[in-house]
């Protein structure tokens, strides 16, 4: 069997297994937690409708598909991304990646959510008149490894340490991502396949002193004492993604790219992502214009009480632009993305990447 045929067969076997596994999880829609793992990072791929599974490369691929980290053009890259998310939540993301010769490529990331100050309420003070405040802390640390198996096939794995803290309770967990990218699929130049399994890991559970409360045991004469409420455990938003990408030369110094992703997960309905970009490859400067769209299979969900319908997927069109400045010894990339959101203000993302 030819190496390329073997790797393609391996990818298809993994895909079939993972689709069956996640399809079973899909019976529990809405039961997963740690949804911060699904918040995208970086301006380029978000502007392309989150469709970069097969085409993402370099340090930003650590989030989209860890297999693409080994395809970075520089020896080392660093990236910072900032997003204005939903309900005034801010998302900061930083990552670094480096090549280590035949050993492969390593990458490290840090994602942090800022919720601002929230009034602290209780049973005795439901309106928060004491003026006490707290700020939730959601942090995710990532470590990825990627290696090119052949000239056409690269594979990668990422482990993410999850920390969620809300006042006096917290939850910690670990999640794994596995990804493969196959370039020149079936011998077609410019055609790339991407497969990724994301957020696989054990259930998480909140714990801490905030779960204790004062109560008197019923049917006894015992005095008031401390009791602990046992928090329910929750699953991670596991998913299987399959994507295609295609690159074509449109004219001298003009290139076009198109991509699409099918996303099957246990948090919501299946989602389709589509996107593309047009780039001008000038001397020392590259300019890009991008656009994309995301939609779910079933965008309406029946409300359990009223029987009415509500939108279950709130994201839609996305737009963006990017510029790459290539100076001696360093490449500077600045990307911007805008994403339409129902019921909320649109998401805005700015990212800066340095290549050395």
């Amino acid at each position: 069997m030819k190496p390329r045929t073997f790797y393609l067969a391996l990818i298809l076997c993994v895909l079939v297994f993972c689709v069956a596994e996640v399809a079973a999880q899909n019976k529990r829609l809405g039961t997963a937690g740690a949804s911060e793992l699904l918040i995208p990072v970086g301006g380029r791929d978000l502007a392309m409708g989150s469709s970069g599974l097969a085409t993402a490369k370099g340090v930003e691929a650590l989030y989209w598909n860890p297999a693409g980290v080994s395809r970075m053009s520089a020896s080392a890259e660093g990236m910072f991304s900032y997003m204005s998310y939903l309900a005034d939540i801010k998302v900061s993301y930083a990552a670094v990646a480096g090549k280590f010769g035949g050993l492969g490529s390593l990458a490290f990331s840090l994602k942090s959510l800022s919720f601002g100050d929230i009034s602290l309420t209780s049973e005795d003070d439901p309106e928060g008149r004491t003026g006490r405040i707290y700020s939730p802390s959601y942090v995710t640390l990532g470590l990825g490894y990627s290696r090119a198996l052949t000239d056409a096939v690269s594979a990668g794995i990422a482990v993410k340490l999850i920390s969620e803290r809300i006042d006096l309770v917290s939850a910690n967990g670990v999640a794994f991502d596995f990804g493969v990218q196959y370039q020149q699929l079936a011998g077609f130049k410019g055609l790339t396949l991407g497969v990724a399994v994301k957020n696989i890991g054990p259930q998480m559970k909140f714990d801490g002193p905030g779960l204790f409360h004062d109560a008197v045991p019923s049917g006894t004469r015992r005095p008031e004492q401390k009791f602990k409420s046992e928090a329910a455990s929750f699953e991670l938003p596991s998913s299987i993604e399959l994507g295609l990408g295609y690159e074509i030369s449109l004219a001298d110094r003009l290139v076009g790219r198109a991509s699409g992703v099918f996303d099957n997960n246990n948090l919501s309905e299946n989602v389709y992502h589509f996107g593309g970009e047009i780039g001008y490859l000038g001397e020392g400067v590259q300019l890009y214009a991008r656009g994309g769209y995301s939609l779910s299979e079933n965008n309406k969900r029946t409300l359990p009480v009223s029987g009415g319908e509500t939108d279950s997927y709130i994201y839609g069109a996305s737009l963006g632009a990017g510029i790459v400045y290539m100076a001696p010894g360093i490449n500077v990339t600045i990307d911007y993305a805008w994403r339409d959101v129902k019921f909320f203000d649109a998401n805005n993302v700015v990212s800066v990447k340095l290549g050395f």
Side-chain angles (χ1 to χ4, degrees), residues 82-86 88-91 345-349:
Y82 181 81
M83 171 192 281
S84 59
Y85 194 51
L86 308 178
D88 295 327
I89 298 174
K90 311 300 182 184
V91 182
D345 294 335
N347 295 160
N348 290 274
V349 181

Side-chain angles (χ1 to χ4, degrees), residues 12 24 30 199 265 349:
L12 292 176
N199 304 322
N265 59 77
V349 181

Side-chain angles (χ1 to χ4, degrees), residues 74-302:
S75 298
E77 291 183 345
M79 171 187 170
F80 176 76
S81 172
Y82 181 81
M83 171 192 281
S84 59
Y85 194 51
L86 308 178
D88 295 327
I89 298 174
K90 311 300 182 184
V91 182
S92 298
Y93 178 85
V96 294
K99 289 183 177 180
F100 294 88
L103 297 177
S105 300
L106 289 176
F108 174 80
S109 68
L110 170 66
K111 179 193 284 184
S112 176
L113 274 62
S114 175
F115 297 85
D117 293 333
I118 301 174
S119 296
L120 184 61
T121 61
S122 64
E123 295 180 24
D124 299 327
D125 182 24
E127 297 182 1
R129 293 180 178 179
T130 61
R132 294 181 298 170
I133 59 175
Y134 73 97
S135 181
S137 174
Y138 279 47
V139 177
T140 303
L141 298 175
L143 177 64
Y145 171 76
S146 176
R147 184 178 180 182
L149 304 179
T150 69
D151 292 340
V153 180
S154 60
I157 180 175
V159 57
K160 293 174 283 190
L161 302 179
I162 311 160
S163 174
E164 300 181 354
R165 177 173 294 276
I166 305 176
D167 193 28
L168 298 178
V169 296
S170 62
N172 298 289
V174 59
F176 295 90
D177 293 351
F178 305 90
V180 176
Q181 286 183 342
Y182 192 116
Q183 301 181 70
Q184 299 188 27
L185 180 65
F188 288 98
K189 183 179 180 180
L191 184 62
T192 305
L193 170 70
V195 179
V197 184
K198 297 182 179 180
N199 304 322
I200 303 298
Q203 295 184 351
M204 293 176 59
K205 185 177 181 180
F206 277 96
D207 199 359
L211 296 177
F212 286 91
H213 58 92
D214 296 322
V216 176
S218 60
T220 69
R221 296 183 178 181
R222 285 194 247 172
E224 186 177 72
Q225 59 190 83
K226 293 286 186 180
F227 286 88
K228 182 181 179 182
S229 298
E230 193 68 22
S233 58
F234 55 89
E235 296 185 16
L236 301 180
S238 306
S239 67
I240 171 69
E241 298 181 12
L242 172 65
L244 289 174
Y246 183 68
E247 178 178 331
I248 186 173
S249 177
L250 300 175
D252 185 32
R253 297 186 180 275
L254 197 64
V255 63
R257 300 184 180 96
S259 54
V261 170
F262 169 69
D263 180 2
N264 180 291
N265 59 77
N266 69 341
L267 181 71
S268 61
E269 303 290 345
N270 297 333
V271 180
Y272 299 90
H273 305 279
F274 304 96
E277 70 175 356
I278 295 178
Y280 172 74
L281 311 181
E283 290 288 345
V285 177
Q286 300 177 2
L287 303 174
Y288 295 92
R290 305 177 177 116
Y293 196 84
S294 300
L295 71 160
S296 67
E297 280 187 351
N298 181 11
N299 198 40
K300 297 293 184 181
R301 180 168 295 175
T302 302

